mmCIF file of all heavy atoms in Angstrom:
data_model
loop_
_atom_site.group_PDB
_atom_site.id
_atom_site.type_symbol
_atom_site.label_atom_id
_atom_site.label_comp_id
_atom_site.label_asym_id
_atom_site.label_seq_id
_atom_site.Cartn_x
_atom_site.Cartn_y
_atom_site.Cartn_z
ATOM 1 N N GLU F 102 -87.927 157.229 99.660
ATOM 2 C CA GLU F 102 -86.740 157.457 98.826
ATOM 3 C C GLU F 102 -86.612 158.904 98.366
ATOM 4 O O GLU F 102 -85.576 159.292 97.822
ATOM 5 C CB GLU F 102 -86.763 156.555 97.583
ATOM 6 C CG GLU F 102 -86.808 155.074 97.869
ATOM 7 C CD GLU F 102 -88.230 154.539 97.882
ATOM 8 O OE1 GLU F 102 -89.166 155.369 98.022
ATOM 9 O OE2 GLU F 102 -88.417 153.324 97.767
ATOM 10 N N ILE F 104 -89.018 160.477 96.079
ATOM 11 C CA ILE F 104 -89.381 160.446 94.658
ATOM 12 C C ILE F 104 -90.705 161.181 94.532
ATOM 13 O O ILE F 104 -91.759 160.646 94.883
ATOM 14 C CB ILE F 104 -89.515 158.995 94.140
ATOM 15 C CG1 ILE F 104 -88.199 158.237 94.338
ATOM 16 C CG2 ILE F 104 -89.934 158.982 92.673
ATOM 17 C CD1 ILE F 104 -88.275 156.752 94.016
ATOM 18 N N TYR F 107 -94.661 160.128 93.378
ATOM 19 C CA TYR F 107 -94.793 158.678 93.469
ATOM 20 C C TYR F 107 -94.854 158.215 94.919
ATOM 21 O O TYR F 107 -95.828 157.625 95.370
ATOM 22 C CB TYR F 107 -93.618 157.997 92.745
ATOM 23 C CG TYR F 107 -93.494 156.511 93.021
ATOM 24 C CD1 TYR F 107 -94.420 155.615 92.515
ATOM 25 C CD2 TYR F 107 -92.444 156.020 93.800
ATOM 26 C CE1 TYR F 107 -94.315 154.255 92.784
ATOM 27 C CE2 TYR F 107 -92.318 154.665 94.063
ATOM 28 C CZ TYR F 107 -93.261 153.791 93.552
ATOM 29 O OH TYR F 107 -93.144 152.456 93.824
ATOM 30 N N ARG F 108 -93.803 158.511 95.679
ATOM 31 C CA ARG F 108 -93.694 157.893 96.985
ATOM 32 C C ARG F 108 -94.727 158.409 97.993
ATOM 33 O O ARG F 108 -95.184 157.648 98.844
ATOM 34 C CB ARG F 108 -92.265 158.073 97.531
ATOM 35 C CG ARG F 108 -91.994 157.338 98.818
ATOM 36 C CD ARG F 108 -92.509 155.914 98.808
ATOM 37 N NE ARG F 108 -91.631 154.950 98.175
ATOM 38 C CZ ARG F 108 -92.037 153.744 97.764
ATOM 39 N NH1 ARG F 108 -93.302 153.375 97.905
ATOM 40 N NH2 ARG F 108 -91.193 152.912 97.200
ATOM 41 N N TYR F 131 -84.481 158.629 102.900
ATOM 42 C CA TYR F 131 -83.118 158.758 102.357
ATOM 43 C C TYR F 131 -82.515 160.108 102.746
ATOM 44 O O TYR F 131 -81.350 160.203 103.108
ATOM 45 C CB TYR F 131 -83.151 158.700 100.826
ATOM 46 C CG TYR F 131 -83.270 157.351 100.201
ATOM 47 C CD1 TYR F 131 -83.530 156.207 100.947
ATOM 48 C CD2 TYR F 131 -83.114 157.204 98.821
ATOM 49 C CE1 TYR F 131 -83.646 154.976 100.340
ATOM 50 C CE2 TYR F 131 -83.226 155.969 98.205
ATOM 51 C CZ TYR F 131 -83.497 154.868 98.969
ATOM 52 O OH TYR F 131 -83.612 153.650 98.354
ATOM 53 N N MET F 140 -83.769 160.343 95.972
ATOM 54 C CA MET F 140 -83.637 159.748 94.635
ATOM 55 C C MET F 140 -83.821 160.803 93.549
ATOM 56 O O MET F 140 -83.187 160.727 92.500
ATOM 57 C CB MET F 140 -84.648 158.611 94.450
ATOM 58 C CG MET F 140 -84.162 157.263 94.941
ATOM 59 S SD MET F 140 -82.468 156.866 94.410
ATOM 60 C CE MET F 140 -82.632 156.877 92.628
ATOM 61 N N CYS F 156 -80.258 154.954 88.301
ATOM 62 C CA CYS F 156 -81.149 155.317 89.407
ATOM 63 C C CYS F 156 -81.479 154.107 90.268
ATOM 64 O O CYS F 156 -81.376 154.153 91.490
ATOM 65 C CB CYS F 156 -82.447 155.944 88.878
ATOM 66 S SG CYS F 156 -82.291 157.690 88.517
ATOM 67 N N CYS F 157 -81.901 153.033 89.650
ATOM 68 C CA CYS F 157 -82.308 151.862 90.432
ATOM 69 C C CYS F 157 -81.100 151.171 91.066
ATOM 70 O O CYS F 157 -81.256 150.505 92.091
ATOM 71 C CB CYS F 157 -83.098 150.886 89.572
ATOM 72 S SG CYS F 157 -84.690 151.564 89.068
ATOM 73 N N THR F 158 -79.938 151.325 90.483
ATOM 74 C CA THR F 158 -78.733 150.762 91.102
ATOM 75 C C THR F 158 -78.467 151.477 92.421
ATOM 76 O O THR F 158 -78.232 150.845 93.451
ATOM 77 C CB THR F 158 -77.525 150.934 90.175
ATOM 78 O OG1 THR F 158 -77.837 150.343 88.918
ATOM 79 C CG2 THR F 158 -76.285 150.290 90.764
ATOM 80 N N CYS F 160 -80.686 153.225 94.106
ATOM 81 C CA CYS F 160 -81.844 153.080 94.984
ATOM 82 C C CYS F 160 -81.843 151.715 95.676
ATOM 83 O O CYS F 160 -82.143 151.608 96.859
ATOM 84 C CB CYS F 160 -83.117 153.274 94.168
ATOM 85 S SG CYS F 160 -84.590 153.441 95.171
ATOM 86 N N GLY F 161 -81.489 150.677 94.925
ATOM 87 C CA GLY F 161 -81.497 149.342 95.516
ATOM 88 C C GLY F 161 -80.530 149.231 96.682
ATOM 89 O O GLY F 161 -80.864 148.676 97.738
ATOM 90 N N ARG F 164 -81.778 151.580 99.587
ATOM 91 C CA ARG F 164 -83.013 151.092 100.226
ATOM 92 C C ARG F 164 -82.707 149.934 101.172
ATOM 93 O O ARG F 164 -83.288 149.821 102.250
ATOM 94 C CB ARG F 164 -84.033 150.672 99.171
ATOM 95 C CG ARG F 164 -85.407 150.412 99.737
ATOM 96 C CD ARG F 164 -86.477 151.013 98.861
ATOM 97 N NE ARG F 164 -86.319 150.553 97.493
ATOM 98 C CZ ARG F 164 -87.064 149.592 96.970
ATOM 99 N NH1 ARG F 164 -87.984 149.004 97.681
ATOM 100 N NH2 ARG F 164 -86.888 149.240 95.716
ATOM 101 N N CYS F 250 -93.111 153.316 89.748
ATOM 102 C CA CYS F 250 -92.162 154.390 90.044
ATOM 103 C C CYS F 250 -91.761 155.105 88.752
ATOM 104 O O CYS F 250 -91.592 154.477 87.707
ATOM 105 C CB CYS F 250 -90.931 153.785 90.728
ATOM 106 S SG CYS F 250 -89.563 154.933 90.895
ATOM 107 N N VAL F 251 -91.582 156.417 88.854
ATOM 108 C CA VAL F 251 -91.253 157.208 87.655
ATOM 109 C C VAL F 251 -89.910 156.799 87.050
ATOM 110 O O VAL F 251 -89.664 157.031 85.862
ATOM 111 C CB VAL F 251 -91.235 158.714 87.984
ATOM 112 C CG1 VAL F 251 -92.632 159.186 88.332
ATOM 113 C CG2 VAL F 251 -90.272 159.029 89.131
ATOM 114 N N TYR F 252 -89.036 156.202 87.845
ATOM 115 C CA TYR F 252 -87.724 155.802 87.319
ATOM 116 C C TYR F 252 -87.703 154.350 86.833
ATOM 117 O O TYR F 252 -86.713 153.913 86.248
ATOM 118 C CB TYR F 252 -86.649 155.980 88.396
ATOM 119 C CG TYR F 252 -86.554 157.405 88.884
ATOM 120 C CD1 TYR F 252 -86.779 157.725 90.209
ATOM 121 C CD2 TYR F 252 -86.265 158.430 87.987
ATOM 122 C CE1 TYR F 252 -86.719 159.033 90.651
ATOM 123 C CE2 TYR F 252 -86.216 159.745 88.416
ATOM 124 C CZ TYR F 252 -86.438 160.040 89.752
ATOM 125 O OH TYR F 252 -86.388 161.342 90.171
ATOM 126 N N ALA F 253 -88.775 153.613 87.068
ATOM 127 C CA ALA F 253 -88.794 152.186 86.721
ATOM 128 C C ALA F 253 -88.613 151.917 85.223
ATOM 129 O O ALA F 253 -87.926 150.956 84.854
ATOM 130 C CB ALA F 253 -90.075 151.537 87.232
ATOM 131 N N ALA F 256 -85.132 151.123 84.132
ATOM 132 C CA ALA F 256 -84.360 150.107 84.847
ATOM 133 C C ALA F 256 -84.051 148.905 83.964
ATOM 134 O O ALA F 256 -84.880 148.464 83.151
ATOM 135 C CB ALA F 256 -85.133 149.644 86.073
HETATM 136 FE FE1 LIG A 413 -86.053 152.870 93.511
HETATM 137 FE FE2 LIG A 413 -85.876 152.060 90.939
HETATM 138 FE FE3 LIG A 413 -87.704 150.996 92.587
HETATM 139 FE FE4 LIG A 413 -87.954 153.527 91.768
HETATM 140 S S1 LIG A 413 -88.025 151.674 90.458
HETATM 141 S S2 LIG A 413 -88.266 152.792 93.870
HETATM 142 S S3 LIG A 413 -85.812 154.203 91.673
HETATM 143 S S4 LIG A 413 -85.486 150.805 92.774
#
Side-chain angles (χ1 to χ4, degrees):
E102 301 94 341
I104 301 173
Y107 168 70
R108 186 45 83 198
Y131 281 9
M140 273 314 299
C156 277
C157 293
T158 304
C160 191
R164 191 137 53 101
C250 170
V251 293
Y252 301 120

